[in-house]
Amino acid sequence: MRNKILIILFILSSLYILWPFFNIYRFYIAVKKTDIEFFTNNVDWKSLRAGFKNDLEIIIDQKIGKKKSIEKQILKSLLGNDLIEIILEEIVSPENIILLLNDPNKYKDMLKKEMNDPNKNIKKKQNIKKEKFKLKGPNIKRIREKVNYVFFINLNTFRIDFNHDGFPIKIDLKFSPFKWKVHKIYLPVNLLISKI
């Protein structure tokens, strides 16, 4: 009886450990296929926006930090949270998260335009078609070169840390009721500040 319980516990814990890897694979396929519906249903948008808001506050402070002190005070009081909310509305969408993961340079350019004039860049939701994608098989050497870390950071949070087109990207998946969802994407803030 004890052996059966140990075997069942081993199987359950193995499945729990492998589950996020399977989800990362599904997210990868969704990014390559531009599957907006999958992203809409498998991302915790509230926590993702909160994380992006913190990163954007740092970026805006750094950009404003280059101004003279009087200009700084005026800009901070005028812009504040309103600017961040306008920018967040535009950049934290399934379409733009897919853009970030597929082409960080285009995402950086879009972020730069949004930072320079958020009101002018508000546009209708893009009509993005699903792309065709055929999995060719794992390129183990390339995976090893790009991925820095891929495993649990605690019992219900799984992290993948990788480099894509020279941009370090970290993504946390969190286990919410019977589903692994993207919880946070860490923007490479210092690198973005240097290029904006």
Side-chain angles (χ1 to χ4, degrees):
M1 183 69 176
R2 185 175 174 219
N3 285 343
K4 285 182 181 179
I5 292 171
L6 287 174
I7 290 169
I8 290 169
L9 285 174
F10 176 76
I11 291 170
L12 289 175
S13 59
S14 297
L15 289 174
Y16 186 78
I17 289 170
L18 293 174
W19 194 355
F21 287 99
F22 176 69
N23 270 37
I24 288 171
Y25 168 76
R26 289 178 59 211
F27 274 103
Y28 174 76
I29 298 299
V31 166
K32 294 300 177 188
K33 285 181 159 183
T34 316
D35 189 347
I36 304 299
E37 186 180 329
F38 180 85
F39 260 78
T40 302
N41 297 327
N42 290 283
V43 172
D44 181 352
W45 292 102
K46 186 177 178 183
S47 69
L48 190 67
R49 281 193 175 94
F52 271 70
K53 184 175 183 177
N54 294 338
D55 293 342
L56 281 173
E57 286 172 350
I58 293 168
I59 291 169
I60 288 171
D61 279 347
Q62 291 291 328
K63 271 198 90 157
I64 291 174
K66 295 175 184 171
K67 309 274 184 199
K68 294 179 184 168
S69 67
I70 296 171
E71 290 175 321
K72 226 192 257 190
Q73 295 299 326
I74 294 169
L75 280 171
K76 270 197 171 181
S77 61
L78 287 174
L79 302 178
N81 280 337
D82 292 339
L83 174 68
I84 292 170
E85 292 303 326
I86 291 168
I87 293 171
L88 277 175
E89 192 63 38
E90 181 61 28
I91 65 169
V92 185
S93 67
E95 297 87 358
N96 287 330
I97 299 303
I98 289 172
L99 178 65
L100 169 66
L101 297 173
N102 270 331
D103 194 342
N105 283 312
K106 278 187 185 174
Y107 186 84
K108 176 208 48 134
D109 293 340
M110 183 269 304
L111 184 61
K112 186 176 182 177
K113 283 180 195 171
E114 198 59 40
M115 296 285 291
N116 289 332
D117 197 348
N119 291 322
K120 273 189 180 176
N121 292 311
I122 293 175
K123 56 185 181 253
K124 293 177 185 172
K125 288 274 184 203
Q126 301 167 356
N127 224 353
I128 296 179
K129 289 190 271 180
K130 280 189 179 181
E131 298 286 324
K132 290 184 179 177
F133 174 72
K134 188 175 181 183
L135 191 63
K136 296 175 185 171
N139 184 339
I140 303 300
K141 184 181 176 193
R142 186 158 181 225
I143 291 171
R144 270 207 247 139
E145 288 170 1
K146 291 182 97 171
V147 175
N148 302 319
Y149 181 85
V150 58
F151 204 65
F152 291 87
I153 55 173
N154 62 41
L155 198 56
N156 73 334
T157 308
F158 190 89
R159 176 170 291 166
I160 178 164
D161 178 350
F162 60 99
N163 294 313
H164 186 51
D165 291 343
F167 287 85
I169 298 174
K170 275 187 209 168
I171 301 172
D172 284 351
L173 282 83
K174 207 159 206 158
F175 189 69
S176 57
F178 304 106
K179 196 175 202 179
W180 286 96
K181 286 188 169 189
V182 170
H183 178 71
K184 181 163 182 168
I185 297 177
Y186 298 85
L187 293 177
V189 173
N190 293 331
L191 187 57
L192 286 171
I193 289 169
S194 70
K195 296 192 176 200
I196 290 179

PDB file of all heavy atoms in Angstrom, residues 72-96:
ATOM      1  N   LYS A  72      11.137  69.268 -15.388  1.00  0.00           N
ATOM      2  CA  LYS A  72      10.870  67.979 -14.741  1.00  0.00           C
ATOM      3  C   LYS A  72       9.600  68.043 -13.899  1.00  0.00           C
ATOM      4  O   LYS A  72       8.736  67.182 -14.003  1.00  0.00           O
ATOM      5  CB  LYS A  72      12.056  67.637 -13.829  1.00  0.00           C
ATOM      6  CG  LYS A  72      12.554  66.235 -13.927  1.00  0.00           C
ATOM      7  CD  LYS A  72      13.505  65.969 -12.803  1.00  0.00           C
ATOM      8  CE  LYS A  72      14.926  66.015 -13.296  1.00  0.00           C
ATOM      9  NZ  LYS A  72      15.891  65.548 -12.311  1.00  0.00           N
ATOM     10  N   GLN A  73       9.511  69.074 -13.058  1.00  0.00           N
ATOM     11  CA  GLN A  73       8.349  69.227 -12.186  1.00  0.00           C
ATOM     12  C   GLN A  73       7.065  69.392 -12.985  1.00  0.00           C
ATOM     13  O   GLN A  73       6.041  68.785 -12.676  1.00  0.00           O
ATOM     14  CB  GLN A  73       8.538  70.449 -11.255  1.00  0.00           C
ATOM     15  CG  GLN A  73       9.670  70.296 -10.273  1.00  0.00           C
ATOM     16  CD  GLN A  73       9.458  69.123  -9.339  1.00  0.00           C
ATOM     17  OE1 GLN A  73       8.343  68.807  -8.966  1.00  0.00           O
ATOM     18  NE2 GLN A  73      10.537  68.450  -8.977  1.00  0.00           N
ATOM     19  N   ILE A  74       7.124  70.225 -14.036  1.00  0.00           N
ATOM     20  CA  ILE A  74       5.937  70.465 -14.866  1.00  0.00           C
ATOM     21  C   ILE A  74       5.507  69.173 -15.555  1.00  0.00           C
ATOM     22  O   ILE A  74       4.337  68.802 -15.533  1.00  0.00           O
ATOM     23  CB  ILE A  74       6.200  71.589 -15.908  1.00  0.00           C
ATOM     24  CG1 ILE A  74       6.404  72.919 -15.177  1.00  0.00           C
ATOM     25  CG2 ILE A  74       5.058  71.687 -16.906  1.00  0.00           C
ATOM     26  CD1 ILE A  74       6.919  74.032 -16.047  1.00  0.00           C
ATOM     27  N   LEU A  75       6.470  68.474 -16.168  1.00  0.00           N
ATOM     28  CA  LEU A  75       6.157  67.237 -16.876  1.00  0.00           C
ATOM     29  C   LEU A  75       5.586  66.179 -15.933  1.00  0.00           C
ATOM     30  O   LEU A  75       4.618  65.503 -16.261  1.00  0.00           O
ATOM     31  CB  LEU A  75       7.395  66.689 -17.579  1.00  0.00           C
ATOM     32  CG  LEU A  75       7.746  67.346 -18.903  1.00  0.00           C
ATOM     33  CD1 LEU A  75       9.109  66.866 -19.384  1.00  0.00           C
ATOM     34  CD2 LEU A  75       6.697  67.065 -19.955  1.00  0.00           C
ATOM     35  N   LYS A  76       6.197  66.046 -14.754  1.00  0.00           N
ATOM     36  CA  LYS A  76       5.710  65.037 -13.806  1.00  0.00           C
ATOM     37  C   LYS A  76       4.283  65.324 -13.367  1.00  0.00           C
ATOM     38  O   LYS A  76       3.467  64.415 -13.256  1.00  0.00           O
ATOM     39  CB  LYS A  76       6.630  64.965 -12.593  1.00  0.00           C
ATOM     40  CG  LYS A  76       7.751  63.977 -12.767  1.00  0.00           C
ATOM     41  CD  LYS A  76       8.358  63.636 -11.442  1.00  0.00           C
ATOM     42  CE  LYS A  76       9.314  62.480 -11.643  1.00  0.00           C
ATOM     43  NZ  LYS A  76       9.946  62.045 -10.447  1.00  0.00           N
ATOM     44  N   SER A  77       3.984  66.606 -13.096  1.00  0.00           N
ATOM     45  CA  SER A  77       2.625  66.928 -12.656  1.00  0.00           C
ATOM     46  C   SER A  77       1.620  66.799 -13.797  1.00  0.00           C
ATOM     47  O   SER A  77       0.486  66.392 -13.585  1.00  0.00           O
ATOM     48  CB  SER A  77       2.572  68.320 -12.035  1.00  0.00           C
ATOM     49  OG  SER A  77       2.946  69.286 -12.991  1.00  0.00           O
ATOM     50  N   LEU A  78       2.025  67.136 -15.032  1.00  0.00           N
ATOM     51  CA  LEU A  78       1.109  67.024 -16.175  1.00  0.00           C
ATOM     52  C   LEU A  78       0.887  65.575 -16.590  1.00  0.00           C
ATOM     53  O   LEU A  78      -0.225  65.176 -16.909  1.00  0.00           O
ATOM     54  CB  LEU A  78       1.651  67.806 -17.381  1.00  0.00           C
ATOM     55  CG  LEU A  78       1.574  69.327 -17.295  1.00  0.00           C
ATOM     56  CD1 LEU A  78       2.270  69.939 -18.491  1.00  0.00           C
ATOM     57  CD2 LEU A  78       0.136  69.791 -17.237  1.00  0.00           C
ATOM     58  N   LEU A  79       1.966  64.824 -16.627  1.00  0.00           N
ATOM     59  CA  LEU A  79       1.883  63.469 -17.175  1.00  0.00           C
ATOM     60  C   LEU A  79       1.404  62.464 -16.138  1.00  0.00           C
ATOM     61  O   LEU A  79       0.362  61.848 -16.295  1.00  0.00           O
ATOM     62  CB  LEU A  79       3.241  63.048 -17.738  1.00  0.00           C
ATOM     63  CG  LEU A  79       3.801  63.952 -18.837  1.00  0.00           C
ATOM     64  CD1 LEU A  79       5.166  63.453 -19.256  1.00  0.00           C
ATOM     65  CD2 LEU A  79       2.876  64.040 -20.013  1.00  0.00           C
ATOM     66  N   GLY A  80       2.193  62.284 -15.097  1.00  0.00           N
ATOM     67  CA  GLY A  80       1.844  61.374 -14.013  1.00  0.00           C
ATOM     68  C   GLY A  80       1.223  60.071 -14.473  1.00  0.00           C
ATOM     69  O   GLY A  80       1.654  59.452 -15.430  1.00  0.00           O
ATOM     70  N   ASN A  81       0.180  59.652 -13.769  1.00  0.00           N
ATOM     71  CA  ASN A  81      -0.478  58.375 -14.046  1.00  0.00           C
ATOM     72  C   ASN A  81      -1.285  58.386 -15.327  1.00  0.00           C
ATOM     73  O   ASN A  81      -1.490  57.338 -15.926  1.00  0.00           O
ATOM     74  CB  ASN A  81      -1.374  57.978 -12.881  1.00  0.00           C
ATOM     75  CG  ASN A  81      -0.584  57.357 -11.754  1.00  0.00           C
ATOM     76  OD1 ASN A  81       0.505  56.844 -11.965  1.00  0.00           O
ATOM     77  ND2 ASN A  81      -1.117  57.423 -10.557  1.00  0.00           N
ATOM     78  N   ASP A  82      -1.775  59.567 -15.747  1.00  0.00           N
ATOM     79  CA  ASP A  82      -2.589  59.628 -16.969  1.00  0.00           C
ATOM     80  C   ASP A  82      -1.813  59.127 -18.179  1.00  0.00           C
ATOM     81  O   ASP A  82      -2.319  58.347 -18.976  1.00  0.00           O
ATOM     82  CB  ASP A  82      -3.091  61.054 -17.229  1.00  0.00           C
ATOM     83  CG  ASP A  82      -4.099  61.487 -16.176  1.00  0.00           C
ATOM     84  OD1 ASP A  82      -4.692  60.598 -15.523  1.00  0.00           O
ATOM     85  OD2 ASP A  82      -4.285  62.697 -15.994  1.00  0.00           O
ATOM     86  N   LEU A  83      -0.568  59.590 -18.315  1.00  0.00           N
ATOM     87  CA  LEU A  83       0.256  59.162 -19.446  1.00  0.00           C
ATOM     88  C   LEU A  83       0.485  57.658 -19.388  1.00  0.00           C
ATOM     89  O   LEU A  83       0.346  56.956 -20.387  1.00  0.00           O
ATOM     90  CB  LEU A  83       1.592  59.893 -19.443  1.00  0.00           C
ATOM     91  CG  LEU A  83       2.601  59.421 -20.507  1.00  0.00           C
ATOM     92  CD1 LEU A  83       2.110  59.783 -21.896  1.00  0.00           C
ATOM     93  CD2 LEU A  83       3.959  60.012 -20.253  1.00  0.00           C
ATOM     94  N   ILE A  84       0.801  57.167 -18.198  1.00  0.00           N
ATOM     95  CA  ILE A  84       1.073  55.732 -18.045  1.00  0.00           C
ATOM     96  C   ILE A  84      -0.164  54.916 -18.395  1.00  0.00           C
ATOM     97  O   ILE A  84      -0.066  53.904 -19.089  1.00  0.00           O
ATOM     98  CB  ILE A  84       1.584  55.426 -16.622  1.00  0.00           C
ATOM     99  CG1 ILE A  84       2.973  56.044 -16.449  1.00  0.00           C
ATOM    100  CG2 ILE A  84       1.622  53.939 -16.359  1.00  0.00           C
ATOM    101  CD1 ILE A  84       3.501  56.027 -15.050  1.00  0.00           C
ATOM    102  N   GLU A  85      -1.340  55.358 -17.948  1.00  0.00           N
ATOM    103  CA  GLU A  85      -2.577  54.633 -18.264  1.00  0.00           C
ATOM    104  C   GLU A  85      -2.848  54.621 -19.766  1.00  0.00           C
ATOM    105  O   GLU A  85      -3.270  53.604 -20.320  1.00  0.00           O
ATOM    106  CB  GLU A  85      -3.767  55.241 -17.513  1.00  0.00           C
ATOM    107  CG  GLU A  85      -3.726  55.039 -16.012  1.00  0.00           C
ATOM    108  CD  GLU A  85      -3.652  53.590 -15.570  1.00  0.00           C
ATOM    109  OE1 GLU A  85      -4.234  52.711 -16.236  1.00  0.00           O
ATOM    110  OE2 GLU A  85      -2.991  53.318 -14.553  1.00  0.00           O
ATOM    111  N   ILE A  86      -2.612  55.757 -20.439  1.00  0.00           N
ATOM    112  CA  ILE A  86      -2.815  55.824 -21.894  1.00  0.00           C
ATOM    113  C   ILE A  86      -1.861  54.870 -22.601  1.00  0.00           C
ATOM    114  O   ILE A  86      -2.251  54.106 -23.486  1.00  0.00           O
ATOM    115  CB  ILE A  86      -2.614  57.274 -22.418  1.00  0.00           C
ATOM    116  CG1 ILE A  86      -3.750  58.169 -21.925  1.00  0.00           C
ATOM    117  CG2 ILE A  86      -2.550  57.306 -23.941  1.00  0.00           C
ATOM    118  CD1 ILE A  86      -3.512  59.652 -22.132  1.00  0.00           C
ATOM    119  N   ILE A  87      -0.600  54.886 -22.176  1.00  0.00           N
ATOM    120  CA  ILE A  87       0.406  54.013 -22.797  1.00  0.00           C
ATOM    121  C   ILE A  87       0.066  52.549 -22.530  1.00  0.00           C
ATOM    122  O   ILE A  87       0.122  51.711 -23.433  1.00  0.00           O
ATOM    123  CB  ILE A  87       1.824  54.364 -22.291  1.00  0.00           C
ATOM    124  CG1 ILE A  87       2.227  55.752 -22.797  1.00  0.00           C
ATOM    125  CG2 ILE A  87       2.840  53.329 -22.750  1.00  0.00           C
ATOM    126  CD1 ILE A  87       3.498  56.292 -22.185  1.00  0.00           C
ATOM    127  N   LEU A  88      -0.301  52.228 -21.279  1.00  0.00           N
ATOM    128  CA  LEU A  88      -0.642  50.840 -20.938  1.00  0.00           C
ATOM    129  C   LEU A  88      -1.793  50.318 -21.775  1.00  0.00           C
ATOM    130  O   LEU A  88      -1.782  49.174 -22.216  1.00  0.00           O
ATOM    131  CB  LEU A  88      -1.016  50.731 -19.458  1.00  0.00           C
ATOM    132  CG  LEU A  88       0.132  50.608 -18.475  1.00  0.00           C
ATOM    133  CD1 LEU A  88      -0.391  50.643 -17.059  1.00  0.00           C
ATOM    134  CD2 LEU A  88       0.926  49.350 -18.710  1.00  0.00           C
ATOM    135  N   GLU A  89      -2.806  51.159 -21.974  1.00  0.00           N
ATOM    136  CA  GLU A  89      -3.969  50.752 -22.770  1.00  0.00           C
ATOM    137  C   GLU A  89      -3.541  50.311 -24.167  1.00  0.00           C
ATOM    138  O   GLU A  89      -4.076  49.368 -24.726  1.00  0.00           O
ATOM    139  CB  GLU A  89      -4.961  51.928 -22.852  1.00  0.00           C
ATOM    140  CG  GLU A  89      -6.304  51.558 -23.380  1.00  0.00           C
ATOM    141  CD  GLU A  89      -7.035  50.559 -22.500  1.00  0.00           C
ATOM    142  OE1 GLU A  89      -6.949  50.648 -21.263  1.00  0.00           O
ATOM    143  OE2 GLU A  89      -7.702  49.672 -23.065  1.00  0.00           O
ATOM    144  N   GLU A  90      -2.540  51.009 -24.702  1.00  0.00           N
ATOM    145  CA  GLU A  90      -2.088  50.706 -26.058  1.00  0.00           C
ATOM    146  C   GLU A  90      -1.122  49.529 -26.117  1.00  0.00           C
ATOM    147  O   GLU A  90      -1.213  48.687 -26.993  1.00  0.00           O
ATOM    148  CB  GLU A  90      -1.427  51.957 -26.663  1.00  0.00           C
ATOM    149  CG  GLU A  90      -0.929  51.777 -28.075  1.00  0.00           C
ATOM    150  CD  GLU A  90      -2.032  51.418 -29.060  1.00  0.00           C
ATOM    151  OE1 GLU A  90      -3.199  51.780 -28.859  1.00  0.00           O
ATOM    152  OE2 GLU A  90      -1.700  50.738 -30.058  1.00  0.00           O
ATOM    153  N   ILE A  91      -0.171  49.464 -25.187  1.00  0.00           N
ATOM    154  CA  ILE A  91       0.908  48.478 -25.352  1.00  0.00           C
ATOM    155  C   ILE A  91       0.656  47.131 -24.692  1.00  0.00           C
ATOM    156  O   ILE A  91       1.310  46.154 -25.039  1.00  0.00           O
ATOM    157  CB  ILE A  91       2.275  49.029 -24.879  1.00  0.00           C
ATOM    158  CG1 ILE A  91       2.263  49.291 -23.381  1.00  0.00           C
ATOM    159  CG2 ILE A  91       2.685  50.248 -25.655  1.00  0.00           C
ATOM    160  CD1 ILE A  91       3.618  49.566 -22.798  1.00  0.00           C
ATOM    161  N   VAL A  92      -0.260  47.058 -23.730  1.00  0.00           N
ATOM    162  CA  VAL A  92      -0.496  45.769 -23.068  1.00  0.00           C
ATOM    163  C   VAL A  92      -1.777  45.163 -23.626  1.00  0.00           C
ATOM    164  O   VAL A  92      -2.840  45.228 -23.046  1.00  0.00           O
ATOM    165  CB  VAL A  92      -0.559  45.918 -21.536  1.00  0.00           C
ATOM    166  CG1 VAL A  92      -0.675  44.544 -20.883  1.00  0.00           C
ATOM    167  CG2 VAL A  92       0.669  46.624 -21.006  1.00  0.00           C
ATOM    168  N   SER A  93      -1.621  44.587 -24.807  1.00  0.00           N
ATOM    169  CA  SER A  93      -2.723  43.914 -25.489  1.00  0.00           C
ATOM    170  C   SER A  93      -2.175  42.600 -26.036  1.00  0.00           C
ATOM    171  O   SER A  93      -0.957  42.457 -26.178  1.00  0.00           O
ATOM    172  CB  SER A  93      -3.246  44.797 -26.635  1.00  0.00           C
ATOM    173  OG  SER A  93      -2.252  44.914 -27.638  1.00  0.00           O
ATOM    174  N   PRO A  94      -3.037  41.649 -26.351  1.00  0.00           N
ATOM    175  CA  PRO A  94      -2.525  40.388 -26.904  1.00  0.00           C
ATOM    176  C   PRO A  94      -1.662  40.604 -28.145  1.00  0.00           C
ATOM    177  O   PRO A  94      -0.611  39.976 -28.304  1.00  0.00           O
ATOM    178  CB  PRO A  94      -3.797  39.603 -27.245  1.00  0.00           C
ATOM    179  CG  PRO A  94      -4.836  40.155 -26.337  1.00  0.00           C
ATOM    180  CD  PRO A  94      -4.488  41.607 -26.146  1.00  0.00           C
ATOM    181  N   GLU A  95      -2.076  41.540 -29.009  1.00  0.00           N
ATOM    182  CA  GLU A  95      -1.325  41.794 -30.247  1.00  0.00           C
ATOM    183  C   GLU A  95       0.088  42.285 -29.939  1.00  0.00           C
ATOM    184  O   GLU A  95       1.059  41.829 -30.552  1.00  0.00           O
ATOM    185  CB  GLU A  95      -2.041  42.851 -31.110  1.00  0.00           C
ATOM    186  CG  GLU A  95      -3.413  42.443 -31.599  1.00  0.00           C
ATOM    187  CD  GLU A  95      -4.541  42.756 -30.629  1.00  0.00           C
ATOM    188  OE1 GLU A  95      -4.296  43.263 -29.520  1.00  0.00           O
ATOM    189  OE2 GLU A  95      -5.702  42.459 -30.972  1.00  0.00           O
ATOM    190  N   ASN A  96       0.191  43.201 -28.972  1.00  0.00           N
ATOM    191  CA  ASN A  96       1.502  43.775 -28.682  1.00  0.00           C
ATOM    192  C   ASN A  96       2.389  42.860 -27.849  1.00  0.00           C
ATOM    193  O   ASN A  96       3.609  42.914 -27.954  1.00  0.00           O
ATOM    194  CB  ASN A  96       1.340  45.145 -28.026  1.00  0.00           C
ATOM    195  CG  ASN A  96       0.887  46.180 -29.035  1.00  0.00           C
ATOM    196  OD1 ASN A  96       1.202  46.095 -30.215  1.00  0.00           O
ATOM    197  ND2 ASN A  96       0.134  47.150 -28.592  1.00  0.00           N
TER     198      ASN A  96
END
